[in-house]
Amino acid sequence: DIVMTQSPDSLAVSLGERATINCKSSQNIFFSSNNRNYLAWYQQIPGRPPKLLIYWAFTRESGVPDRFSGSGSGTDFTLTISSLQAEDVAVYYCQQYYSSPFTFGQGTRLEI
Amino acid sequence: EVQLVESGGGLVNPGGSLRLSCVASGFTFTNAWMSWVRQAPGKGLEWVGRIKSKRDGGTTDYAAPVKDRFIISRDDSKNTLYVQMYTLKTEDTAVYYCTTWALAPDIGGIDYWGQGSLVTVSS
Protein backbone atom coordinates (compact mmCIF):
# COMPACT_ATOMS: atom_id res chain seq x y z
CA ASP A 1 0.00 0.00 0.00
CA ILE A 2 1.10 3.57 -0.67
CA VAL A 3 1.51 5.51 2.57
CA MET A 4 0.76 9.23 2.46
CA THR A 5 2.44 11.37 5.12
CA GLN A 6 1.51 15.00 5.65
CA SER A 7 3.46 17.64 7.49
CA PRO A 8 2.93 19.41 9.71
CA ASP A 9 0.05 17.84 11.66
CA SER A 10 -1.15 21.32 12.58
CA LEU A 11 -0.33 24.82 11.51
CA ALA A 12 -1.23 28.30 12.76
CA VAL A 13 -1.01 31.13 10.24
CA SER A 14 -2.02 34.77 10.50
CA LEU A 15 -4.73 36.19 8.28
CA GLY A 16 -3.26 37.28 4.95
CA GLU A 17 -0.14 35.17 5.38
CA ARG A 18 0.94 32.12 3.38
CA ALA A 19 0.18 28.59 4.53
CA THR A 20 2.11 25.60 3.20
CA ILE A 21 1.18 21.95 3.72
CA ASN A 22 3.35 19.08 2.55
CA CYS A 23 2.43 15.58 1.48
CA LYS A 24 4.85 12.76 0.79
CA SER A 25 3.97 9.44 -0.80
CA SER A 26 5.89 6.25 -0.07
CA GLN A 27 5.93 5.41 -3.79
CA ASN A 28 6.04 7.40 -7.00
CA ILE A 29 2.52 8.40 -8.03
CA PHE A 30 3.49 9.95 -11.34
CA PHE A 31 2.24 8.05 -14.38
CA SER A 32 4.61 8.78 -17.24
CA SER A 33 2.26 7.63 -20.01
CA ASN A 34 -0.08 10.56 -19.37
CA ASN A 35 2.36 12.85 -17.55
CA ARG A 36 0.15 13.10 -14.48
CA ASN A 37 0.55 12.86 -10.76
CA TYR A 38 -2.37 10.99 -9.18
CA LEU A 39 -2.72 13.29 -6.19
CA ALA A 40 -5.72 15.21 -4.85
CA TRP A 41 -6.19 17.70 -2.02
CA TYR A 42 -9.37 18.06 0.04
CA GLN A 43 -10.58 20.62 2.53
CA GLN A 44 -12.81 19.60 5.44
CA ILE A 45 -14.44 22.34 7.46
CA PRO A 46 -15.55 21.07 10.89
CA GLY A 47 -18.95 19.39 10.80
CA ARG A 48 -19.02 19.16 7.00
CA PRO A 49 -18.01 16.58 4.42
CA PRO A 50 -14.70 17.05 2.63
CA LYS A 51 -14.51 19.12 -0.51
CA LEU A 52 -12.23 18.53 -3.50
CA LEU A 53 -9.81 21.41 -3.95
CA ILE A 54 -7.12 20.19 -6.34
CA TYR A 55 -6.56 17.11 -8.50
CA TRP A 56 -3.74 15.89 -10.76
CA ALA A 57 -1.54 17.58 -8.12
CA PHE A 58 -2.10 21.14 -9.35
CA THR A 59 -5.47 21.49 -11.18
CA ARG A 60 -7.95 23.55 -9.16
CA GLU A 61 -11.51 22.26 -8.98
CA SER A 62 -14.10 24.61 -10.43
CA GLY A 63 -15.01 27.37 -8.00
CA VAL A 64 -11.94 26.99 -5.80
CA PRO A 65 -10.30 30.38 -5.16
CA ASP A 66 -6.98 30.93 -6.90
CA ARG A 67 -5.23 31.53 -3.57
CA PHE A 68 -5.14 27.71 -3.38
CA SER A 69 -2.42 26.09 -5.45
CA GLY A 70 -0.83 22.68 -5.68
CA SER A 71 2.65 21.71 -6.75
CA GLY A 72 5.11 18.84 -6.73
CA SER A 73 5.72 15.63 -8.59
CA GLY A 74 6.69 12.04 -8.02
CA THR A 75 6.59 11.61 -4.26
CA ASP A 76 6.62 15.15 -2.84
CA PHE A 77 3.70 17.54 -3.05
CA THR A 78 2.64 20.86 -1.57
CA LEU A 79 -0.62 22.70 -1.04
CA THR A 80 -0.17 26.44 -0.70
CA ILE A 81 -2.72 29.02 0.41
CA SER A 82 -1.21 32.30 -0.68
CA SER A 83 -3.15 34.65 1.60
CA LEU A 84 -5.05 32.97 4.40
CA GLN A 85 -8.69 33.91 4.88
CA ALA A 86 -10.83 33.17 7.93
CA GLU A 87 -12.94 30.69 5.94
CA ASP A 88 -9.85 28.59 5.19
CA VAL A 89 -9.73 27.25 8.76
CA ALA A 90 -10.14 23.52 8.17
CA VAL A 91 -8.37 20.20 8.03
CA TYR A 92 -6.63 19.47 4.73
CA TYR A 93 -6.02 16.00 3.35
CA CYS A 94 -4.01 14.68 0.44
CA GLN A 95 -4.99 11.45 -1.30
CA GLN A 96 -3.31 9.29 -3.90
CA TYR A 97 -5.49 7.68 -6.55
CA TYR A 98 -2.62 5.99 -8.38
CA SER A 99 -3.28 2.53 -7.00
CA SER A 100 -5.75 0.78 -4.73
CA PRO A 101 -6.14 1.20 -1.81
CA PHE A 102 -6.50 4.92 -2.49
CA THR A 103 -4.95 6.18 0.70
CA PHE A 104 -5.26 9.54 2.43
CA GLY A 105 -2.72 11.45 4.44
CA GLN A 106 -3.44 11.82 8.15
CA GLY A 107 -4.61 15.42 7.71
CA THR A 108 -3.22 18.85 8.59
CA ARG A 109 -5.24 21.13 10.84
CA LEU A 110 -4.97 24.75 9.77
CA GLU A 111 -5.77 27.44 12.31
CA ILE A 112 -5.46 31.17 12.55
CA GLU B 1 -27.12 19.42 -8.97
CA VAL B 2 -25.39 16.28 -7.74
CA GLN B 3 -26.91 14.90 -4.55
CA LEU B 4 -25.87 11.86 -2.55
CA VAL B 5 -28.08 10.92 0.39
CA GLU B 6 -26.96 8.17 2.74
CA SER B 7 -29.20 6.23 5.08
CA GLY B 8 -29.16 3.11 7.21
CA GLY B 9 -26.70 4.10 9.90
CA GLY B 10 -27.25 3.43 13.58
CA LEU B 11 -26.14 1.44 16.60
CA VAL B 12 -25.15 -2.18 16.11
CA ASN B 13 -23.57 -4.78 18.38
CA PRO B 14 -20.06 -6.04 17.71
CA GLY B 15 -20.29 -8.99 15.35
CA GLY B 16 -23.49 -7.66 13.85
CA SER B 17 -24.39 -6.55 10.33
CA LEU B 18 -25.69 -3.38 8.77
CA ARG B 19 -26.41 -2.12 5.29
CA LEU B 20 -25.97 1.50 4.24
CA SER B 21 -27.69 2.93 1.20
CA CYS B 22 -26.91 6.01 -0.86
CA VAL B 23 -29.46 7.44 -3.27
CA ALA B 24 -27.87 9.48 -6.03
CA SER B 25 -29.38 12.18 -8.21
CA GLY B 26 -28.32 14.94 -10.56
CA PHE B 27 -26.11 12.79 -12.76
CA THR B 28 -26.17 9.58 -14.79
CA PHE B 29 -25.64 7.05 -12.01
CA THR B 30 -25.32 4.12 -14.42
CA ASN B 31 -22.08 5.50 -15.83
CA ALA B 32 -20.57 6.59 -12.52
CA TRP B 33 -17.86 4.96 -10.47
CA MET B 34 -18.73 5.28 -6.79
CA SER B 35 -16.94 4.83 -3.50
CA TRP B 36 -17.31 4.84 0.27
CA VAL B 37 -15.02 6.76 2.61
CA ARG B 38 -15.28 6.67 6.38
CA GLN B 39 -14.16 8.87 9.23
CA ALA B 40 -13.93 7.64 12.80
CA PRO B 41 -14.90 10.24 15.44
CA GLY B 42 -12.20 12.89 15.67
CA LYS B 43 -10.00 11.04 13.17
CA GLY B 44 -8.95 11.36 9.56
CA LEU B 45 -10.40 10.02 6.33
CA GLU B 46 -10.15 6.36 5.41
CA TRP B 47 -11.01 5.06 1.94
CA VAL B 48 -13.24 1.99 2.26
CA GLY B 49 -13.83 0.81 -1.28
CA ARG B 50 -14.94 1.55 -4.80
CA ILE B 51 -17.22 0.08 -7.44
CA LYS B 52 -16.89 0.75 -11.14
CA SER B 53 -19.81 1.21 -13.50
CA LYS B 54 -21.20 -1.92 -15.10
CA ARG B 55 -20.01 -0.78 -18.52
CA ASP B 56 -16.49 -0.66 -17.05
CA GLY B 57 -16.84 -4.11 -15.52
CA GLY B 58 -18.63 -3.35 -12.25
CA THR B 59 -15.62 -4.54 -10.27
CA THR B 60 -14.88 -3.60 -6.69
CA ASP B 61 -11.79 -2.71 -4.67
CA TYR B 62 -11.57 -2.66 -0.89
CA ALA B 63 -9.26 -1.42 1.81
CA ALA B 64 -7.59 -4.20 3.77
CA PRO B 65 -9.44 -3.58 7.09
CA VAL B 66 -12.83 -4.22 5.45
CA LYS B 67 -11.97 -6.71 2.73
CA ASP B 68 -13.95 -9.94 3.17
CA ARG B 69 -16.35 -8.23 5.62
CA PHE B 70 -17.86 -5.43 3.50
CA ILE B 71 -19.55 -5.76 0.13
CA ILE B 72 -20.17 -2.74 -2.09
CA SER B 73 -22.92 -3.09 -4.68
CA ARG B 74 -25.17 -0.94 -6.81
CA ASP B 75 -28.67 -0.99 -8.19
CA ASP B 76 -28.61 1.21 -11.27
CA SER B 77 -32.39 0.91 -11.67
CA LYS B 78 -32.77 2.67 -8.31
CA ASN B 79 -29.75 5.02 -8.59
CA THR B 80 -28.58 3.51 -5.34
CA LEU B 81 -25.22 2.50 -3.95
CA TYR B 82 -24.93 0.07 -1.04
CA VAL B 83 -22.38 -1.18 1.40
CA GLN B 84 -23.28 -4.35 3.27
CA MET B 85 -21.20 -4.63 6.41
CA TYR B 86 -20.72 -7.93 8.25
CA THR B 87 -18.88 -8.98 11.41
CA LEU B 88 -18.73 -5.39 12.56
CA LYS B 89 -16.03 -4.36 14.99
CA THR B 90 -15.83 -1.41 17.36
CA GLU B 91 -13.16 0.08 15.11
CA ASP B 92 -15.71 0.29 12.28
CA THR B 93 -17.46 3.07 14.20
CA ALA B 94 -17.39 6.05 11.86
CA VAL B 95 -19.30 8.41 9.65
CA TYR B 96 -19.59 6.71 6.27
CA TYR B 97 -19.57 8.98 3.24
CA CYS B 98 -20.94 7.98 -0.14
CA THR B 99 -18.93 9.60 -2.91
CA THR B 100 -18.62 9.79 -6.65
CA TRP B 101 -15.30 8.84 -8.17
CA ALA B 102 -14.02 11.18 -10.88
CA LEU B 103 -17.55 11.89 -12.10
CA ALA B 104 -16.68 14.91 -14.22
CA PRO B 105 -14.60 14.48 -17.38
CA ASP B 106 -10.85 14.49 -16.79
CA ILE B 107 -11.18 14.92 -13.04
CA GLY B 108 -9.17 12.84 -10.63
CA GLY B 109 -10.17 11.71 -7.17
CA ILE B 110 -13.44 12.17 -5.30
CA ASP B 111 -15.48 15.06 -6.64
CA TYR B 112 -18.78 14.76 -4.74
CA TRP B 113 -19.53 13.68 -1.18
CA GLY B 114 -22.73 12.91 0.67
CA GLN B 115 -23.42 14.27 4.14
CA GLY B 116 -22.51 10.98 5.76
CA SER B 117 -24.22 8.32 7.87
CA LEU B 118 -23.00 7.47 11.37
CA VAL B 119 -22.43 3.83 12.24
CA THR B 120 -21.75 3.06 15.89
CA VAL B 121 -20.57 -0.41 16.82
CA SER B 122 -20.94 -0.91 20.54
CA SER B 123 -22.48 -3.27 23.07
Side-chain angles (χ1 to χ4, degrees), chain A residues 1 36 40 42 44 48-52 55-56 61 93 95 97 100-102 104-106, chain B residues 37 39 43-47 50 61-63 97 101 106-111 113-115:
Chain A
D1 295 2
R36 283 177 164 172
Y42 303 89
Q44 187 175 30
R48 299 177 66 173
K51 170 188 170 184
L52 178 65
Y55 54 95
W56 305 127
E61 168 70 313
Y93 297 92
Q95 182 201 23
Y97 48 97
S100 177
F102 303 109
F104 290 91
Q106 80 276 19
Chain B
V37 175
Q39 186 169 36
K43 302 297 184 183
L45 302 172
E46 181 181 24
W47 179 79
R50 182 187 69 178
D61 296 278
Y62 297 96
Y97 293 103
W101 185 273
D106 202 37
I107 260 197
I110 295 171
D111 38 0
W113 301 69
Q115 291 300 307

Side-chain angles (χ1 to χ4, degrees), chain A residues 39 41 57-58 69-73 76-80:
Chain A
L39 190 282
W41 288 98
F58 61 82
S69 63
S71 61
S73 185
D76 291 280
F77 301 91
T78 300
L79 174 69
T80 301

Side-chain angles (χ1 to χ4, degrees), chain A residues 2-9 21-27 29 39 41 75-78 92-96 103-108:
Chain A
I2 298 175
V3 177
M4 306 298 290
T5 304
Q6 292 181 228
S7 61
D9 289 334
I21 298 170
N22 300 301
C23 174
K24 188 174 183 67
S25 58
S26 62
Q27 299 175 33
I29 56 174
L39 190 282
W41 288 98
T75 61
D76 291 280
F77 301 91
T78 300
Y92 292 84
Y93 297 92
C94 61
Q95 182 201 23
Q96 64 81 19
T103 42
F104 290 91
Q106 80 276 19
T108 295

